[in-house]
Amino acid sequence: MAEQNSNPPESTESAAPAPQAALRQSLERLLKVPGVTLAVMSDQNGIPLDDQDDRGQSLAAQGKVLMEGAILAGKTMGVGESKSVAVHDHNGRMLVYTLDARYLHISVTKDVKLALVEAAISKVLATGS
């Protein structure tokens, strides 16, 4: 793999990362947040845009159901549309964020303070670092 990357590309295209590469970079930054074990971006149908393995698909499907429930609850109570949801169980936690027309699903271990994880995630989402 190092040999493939050792020669400069012959293309004169822009150096900006492709959307899929930028998505992967963002998710990799999220995985560096202490306590985050998995991060998956999906469309609003729960179809992962990046992680097609079983864990990623399962997290996205669960997150879609949770977010739809939160959105419906917000509308029913008249408090507006939900932008995020956090769920705790005996295995850990799951966070789901609405970002544009996509969902960000994040699995978090139960042994870290959720407020610290959420603050670090917000920083990554806001600044990309």
Side-chain angles (χ1 to χ4, degrees):
M1 191 166 200
E3 291 178 3
Q4 292 175 336
N5 294 329
S6 64
N7 296 325
E10 294 178 21
S11 168
T12 58
E13 292 179 22
S14 165
Q20 196 68 12
L23 173 61
R24 252 185 239 114
Q25 289 174 352
S26 295
L27 294 174
E28 287 172 7
R29 284 192 297 272
L30 288 169
L31 289 173
K32 293 178 183 177
V33 172
V36 171
T37 59
L38 184 61
V40 176
M41 186 74 72
S42 77
D43 63 14
Q44 288 187 338
N45 294 316
I47 308 298
L49 303 175
D50 56 306
D51 191 342
Q52 299 298 324
D53 70 9
D54 290 343
R55 286 182 57 214
Q57 290 181 358
S58 177
L59 185 67
Q62 292 171 19
K64 174 190 177 278
V65 171
L66 293 171
M67 186 53 80
E68 286 176 342
I71 290 169
L72 180 60
K75 288 178 181 178
T76 302
M77 292 185 292
V79 295
E81 190 170 314
S82 298
K83 297 293 180 192
S84 65
V85 63
V87 178
H88 306 255
D89 70 12
H90 64 281
N91 293 320
R93 303 174 190 129
M94 178 181 200
L95 303 171
V96 185
Y97 297 88
T98 300
L99 303 173
D100 300 322
R102 302 176 295 178
Y103 294 143
L104 173 61
H105 315 269
I106 301 174
S107 178
V108 180
T109 61
K110 62 182 178 179
D111 59 340
V112 296
K113 290 190 177 194
L114 192 58
L116 296 176
V117 175
E118 289 177 312
I121 290 169
S122 293
K123 181 180 177 187
V124 168
L125 295 176
T127 64
S129 61

